Amino acid sequence: MQDHAAPVAATDPGTELLDGAVARLVRDSGASVAMLYVLPGKGTTLHLTVLAGAPAQLAALWTRVPLSAPMPVADAVRLRCLIWLGSQEELARRYPRTALVLPYRFALCAAPVRTGAADRGGVVLLWPGSHSPELSSQERRAVVAGSHSIGMILQQAESKGTPVLPGAQPRVLPRPEPEPPGPAEGMAAAEFVQRLPGGSCALAMDGSITYVNDAASALLGARAEDMVGTLPWVSLPWLDTPAVEDHYRAAVIGRQQTSFTVLRPPDRWLTFHLFPDNTGISVRIIPTAKPGPTDDPAPPLPPISAVPSRAGALYHLMHLAATLTEAVTTKDVIELAGDQLMPAFRIQTLVVMTSAEGRLRVEGGRGSRPGLMDRFDGAPLTSGTPAAHVLMTGSPDFYASFDELRRAYPSADLRDAVAACAFLPLIASGRPIGSLVLAYERPHPFGDEERALLTSIAGLLAQALDRARLYDAKDRLSHSLQAHLLPQTLPDVPGLDVAARYLPSTRGMGVGGDFYDLIRLDEDNVAAAIGDVQGHNENAAALMGQVRTAVHASAGAPPDEVLARTNRLLTDLDPGLFTSCLYVHLDLAGRRAVLATAGHPPPLLRQPDGQTQALRLPPGVLLGIDPAARYPTAEVPLPLGAALALFTDGLVEAPGVDLDDATADLAEHFALALDQDMDSVADTLVRYARGATPGTDDIALLLINALRPES
C-alpha cells in the first residue's frame, strides 16, 4: 500500500540558486511543469535537480537519465537542440517508450543547458493537453532565455569552485500560493461549496487530501479527520485501483479535467470529477446509478507510483519491461535497473551477482555501497551466504532489519553495510542464473505486495540479464574475430610515425568490414591500404579478410594494378557485397606518394606548415562490380613533415551533415594537431568522431607522418 512521503530536497545548497531561474522559466513560458536536469562534470547521466509543478513521486523513475537513453531530454542535450512534441501522437511516434508509460495529453519541450562548448544539463517543460500543437515564438524565446540563464548560474557556481551538485532527490519548488480570501469571502466560499449537490474535496499536487466537506464525508463513508493528509487510495482502500491513480496523474500531468466512476462497496456508485490547476485539484463527488455498457469508464491506463501500491505495481512492471528492451549488455541491465528501481523504492544499494564455475561472481552494483558483496565474490555456491542460498534455491529472502539477517546468517558480516536487505533470485527459463541484492540504510518492513512486486521485477531483470550475457559472449567473439583479421601491430618503418585505430559500429555484432594495412616493401618503399566492405556483420568481416589478403599479396605492384587484381578476385568470388578501397605507394627516397582509389573517401594531406586538404583523386569504381574496371593513379609530393590521414566514411558521415563540410571539419582537427605524435592525433580524431557522428558505422583510421630529421 502506498505511503505518503514528503518530497526530499536536493542536499546541495547550491541548487537553491536555481530555484528562481526555474520559477521564472515556468512563469515566462506558461508551462505547467518544469524539470531541470544537471550533467555533473564530464558525466554521462543527467540528474533531475529541480522540479516545479508536480510532486516528486511522479518523477521518481526519471531522476537519472543516461545521455544515451531514447528520451527527449537526453536527445536535446546530446544533439544540442530544442525538441518540441506538440501531441501524444508525435510523442508516441518519436519516443514510444515515454509515450507508453505517460499515456496522457500534454505538450513537451526539451532544451539543452549549455555555456559555450560545455554541456551543463537540460530542461523539460510540460504544457496542458489543450496547448496548441505548435510552440509559439514567445514560448520559444522564453525557453531559450531561461535555459541560458540557468546555464550561466551553473557556470558561475563552477568558476567559484562550488559547482552545483544534484542531491539524492530533486528539490521540489513550492506551489504558487493563491491570494488568501478575507473573512467574508472565506465564509461565502464555504457556504457556496456546502450548497452544491454531491460532495466536494480538494487534493494537493501530491494527491493528498487537503479538504473534505460534510457531504463528501457521507458519500465516502469516512470521517474528514481520518482522510485529511492521506492519499485517497490509502485511507479508502476501495479506491486502490489503477484507474483512480491514473486519472489523478492525468489531471496533474495534463492539467485536464477528468472523470471516473467507482463502486463504493457494497453497492454505492460514485462519479468523481477532477478539476486541476497549478495549485491543486478540486474534486466533485456525485452519486450515480450503476454504469451501463455504454457508460463504462475507459479501460485504465498504466499509472505511475513511487512505492508499491496495486496501481504502482502495474506501472513499475510495465515501465521496467519497456526500459529493459533497450538493454544490450550486462552493464546496461545493471545501469538501467539502478536508474529505475533505486529512486522509486528508496533503495540505497543494488548489486547483481551471477554464478560461474560453481562460484558467485559480482557482475556490478550501484548506489552508496556498490562493493557491498565484494567480500563474497568468488565464494562457492555451497557457502553459507544469503546470495548463494537464494541462487541455489530460487526462493527470495527479505530481512527487515540487520538483526533478522544476523539470526539467519551469523557469518554474513554485513553489519556496517545494511540495516535491511532483500535477496531475490534471478530466474530465466526456469533456472536460477543469479541473485539481486537490495540494501537499505534503515530498517525496512516488507509487506506482502512489495515482496511480490520486487520478486516480479527480479524476474524481468533475469530475462534481460540472460539476453545480455548471450550478447556479451557474442560480442567478445566478434571482437576477437575482428582483432585477428586486422594487423596486430604496424611495422616499424624508419622515417615514419604511424598510428591506426578501429572502432566497431554501436549497432550490430560489433564486427564489420572496415580494414587498414601498412606493408613494408623494402628500405625505401611502403604500401598503405584502407577499405570498407559493405555491411557490419560476419559476412562483411569474412570478405574483409579476403580483400586484405588480396591487397597484401599484390602489394609492391603499381597501385592501379593492385586494385585491378583485387577487383578481379572479388568479381570471381561474387560475394554479393561491394568494397571501397584506397591504396597508397609511398616512395620514401623520392618523397612522393602514388595513390589509386576504388570509390573510397579521399585521404587528407597535411603539409609541413599545417595546411591540410582532402586530395582530389581520379575516381575508380567500387571493387566487385566490373571485372574490367581500371583504376587511374595520382602522384603527390610527400615532403618531410607531411602527413597522410586515411579513413573510412564512418569517421565523417552524420545525418543531415554535408560530407564535404564534415571532411573539411576533420581536416581542421588534423591541422590543429600539427605538433602531436600520430598516436595522440589518432586519439584526437577519434574523440572528434564520437562527438560528430552517430556511431552507427565502423571506423578505421590510418595516419602516416614523414618525420623531419632530428636537428
Side-chain angles (χ1 to χ4, degrees), residues 514-533:
D514 287 20
F515 68 94
Y516 60 85
D517 211 346
L518 188 70
I519 308 162
R520 185 173 183 179
L521 303 172
D522 56 37
E523 291 185 359
D524 296 322
N525 291 277
V526 177
I530 196 164
D532 184 357
V533 178

Side-chain angles (χ1 to χ4, degrees), residues 16-31:
E16 298 177 11
L17 300 171
L18 301 170
D19 292 358
V22 173
R24 285 192 299 275
L25 175 56
V26 171
R27 183 193 65 216
D28 296 344
S29 66

Side-chain angles (χ1 to χ4, degrees), residues 292-527:
T294 60
D295 300 322
D296 283 341
L301 296 171
I304 176 173
S305 175
V307 287
S309 65
R310 265 194 295 164
L314 293 179
Y315 171 76
H316 280 297
L317 289 175
M318 182 202 64
H319 187 272
L320 186 62
T323 302
L324 289 176
T325 60
E326 299 161 7
V328 176
T329 66
T330 300
K331 181 181 178 182
D332 291 341
V333 173
I334 296 171
E335 292 290 322
L336 288 171
D339 290 340
Q340 299 300 320
L341 296 181
M342 295 179 65
F345 290 87
R346 299 182 179 91
I347 298 165
Q348 279 70 55
T349 300
L350 177 150
V351 179
V352 173
M353 304 187 75
T354 60
S355 64
E357 298 178 350
R359 294 182 177 273
L360 289 173
R361 183 175 69 185
V362 175
E363 293 286 354
R366 290 285 300 274
S368 59
R369 296 177 180 267
L372 172 67
M373 302 301 291
D374 283 353
R375 68 193 71 179
F376 302 119
D377 193 19
L381 295 182
T382 55
S383 62
T385 64
H389 177 262
V390 165
L391 195 154
M392 293 295 289
T393 64
S395 299
D397 286 335
F398 298 91
Y399 302 98
S401 67
F402 177 76
D403 288 340
E404 289 187 12
L405 176 63
R406 182 176 55 187
R407 284 194 295 268
Y409 295 95
S411 62
D413 192 25
L414 294 172
R415 172 180 292 278
D416 297 330
V418 301
C421 56
F423 294 86
L424 304 164
L426 298 173
I427 300 175
S429 302
R431 57 185 178 85
I433 63 170
S435 303
L436 174 65
V437 185
L438 307 177
Y440 304 78
E441 293 178 354
R442 295 179 180 178
H444 182 91
F446 295 93
D448 292 341
E449 292 185 3
E450 185 174 5
R451 292 178 182 228
L453 176 59
L454 291 176
T455 302
S456 297
I457 286 174
L460 292 176
L461 288 178
Q463 295 174 29
L465 187 63
D466 202 33
R467 293 192 303 268
R469 293 172 72 187
L470 179 60
Y471 175 87
D472 288 340
K474 290 183 177 179
D475 190 57
R476 287 192 297 269
L477 176 61
S478 64
H479 279 283
S480 176
L481 172 63
Q482 188 80 52
H484 285 85
L485 289 173
L486 293 172
Q488 300 298 303
T489 59
L490 296 176
D492 183 14
V493 180
L496 292 183
D497 180 15
V498 297
R501 296 290 186 273
Y502 173 80
L503 278 74
S505 162
T506 56
R507 294 181 184 173
M509 286 186 60
V511 61
D514 287 20
F515 68 94
Y516 60 85
D517 211 346
L518 188 70
I519 308 162
R520 185 173 183 179
L521 303 172
D522 56 37
E523 291 185 359
D524 296 322
N525 291 277
V526 177

Side-chain angles (χ1 to χ4, degrees), residues 70-121:
M71 295 180 64
V73 67
D75 280 357
V77 175
R78 191 175 62 253
L79 302 176
R80 298 173 178 173
C81 67
L82 185 145
I83 291 175
W84 169 252
L85 302 164
S87 69
Q88 184 68 15
E89 180 180 351
E90 187 174 6
L91 178 68
R93 179 176 59 83
R94 296 177 59 183
Y95 299 96
R97 189 186 99 191
T98 304
L100 179 67
V101 295
L102 290 176
Y104 313 117
R105 291 186 61 227
F106 60 89
L108 181 149
C109 178
V113 173
R114 308 181 68 237
T115 53
D119 296 316
R120 300 195 178 275

Side-chain angles (χ1 to χ4, degrees), residues 467-680:
R467 293 192 303 268
R469 293 172 72 187
L470 179 60
Y471 175 87
D472 288 340
K474 290 183 177 179
D475 190 57
R476 287 192 297 269
L477 176 61
S478 64
H479 279 283
S480 176
L481 172 63
Q482 188 80 52
H484 285 85
L485 289 173
L486 293 172
Q488 300 298 303
T489 59
L490 296 176
D492 183 14
V493 180
L496 292 183
D497 180 15
V498 297
R501 296 290 186 273
Y502 173 80
L503 278 74
S505 162
T506 56
R507 294 181 184 173
M509 286 186 60
V511 61
D514 287 20
F515 68 94
Y516 60 85
D517 211 346
L518 188 70
I519 308 162
R520 185 173 183 179
L521 303 172
D522 56 37
E523 291 185 359
D524 296 322
N525 291 277
V526 177
I530 196 164
D532 184 357
V533 178
Q534 173 190 9
H536 19 81
N537 53 33
E538 68 278 12
N539 293 331
L543 183 60
M544 176 266 280
Q546 293 174 310
V547 173
R548 180 172 170 253
T549 299
V551 170
H552 208 287
S554 300
D560 55 336
E561 184 60 29
V562 172
L563 292 185
R565 292 177 186 175
T566 305
N567 177 56
R568 287 194 294 270
L569 172 66
L570 288 190
T571 52
D572 288 342
L573 292 174
D574 190 21
L577 298 175
F578 305 133
T579 304
S580 71
C581 187
L582 172 70
Y583 183 87
V584 184
H585 184 102
L586 301 171
D587 179 358
L588 303 182
R591 293 201 288 275
R592 66 189 185 106
V594 182
L595 308 93
T597 182
H600 197 82
L604 301 177
L605 174 61
R606 188 182 70 190
Q607 299 293 345
D609 61 1
Q611 293 187 24
T612 305
Q613 63 179 354
L615 295 176
R616 294 185 177 275
L617 303 179
V621 70
L622 291 167
L623 303 177
I625 297 178
D626 179 7
R630 296 181 177 277
Y631 298 92
T633 61
E635 181 177 320
V636 296
L638 191 68
L640 295 176
L644 284 167
L646 285 62
F647 56 91
T648 55
D649 53 12
L651 193 68
V652 290
E653 280 191 343
V657 179
D658 182 79
L659 188 58
D660 290 339
D661 292 341
T663 303
D665 197 15
L666 179 69
E668 182 177 346
H669 283 76
F670 192 33
L672 291 175
L674 181 63
D675 297 326
Q676 299 179 18
D677 60 71
M678 289 298 102
D679 260 324
S680 299

Side-chain angles (χ1 to χ4, degrees), residues 215-238:
S217 292
L219 289 171
L220 296 173
R223 298 185 306 170
E225 54 265 34
D226 294 333
M227 291 185 286
V228 171
T230 71
L231 296 171
W233 42 89
V234 173
S235 54
L236 303 169
W238 48 274

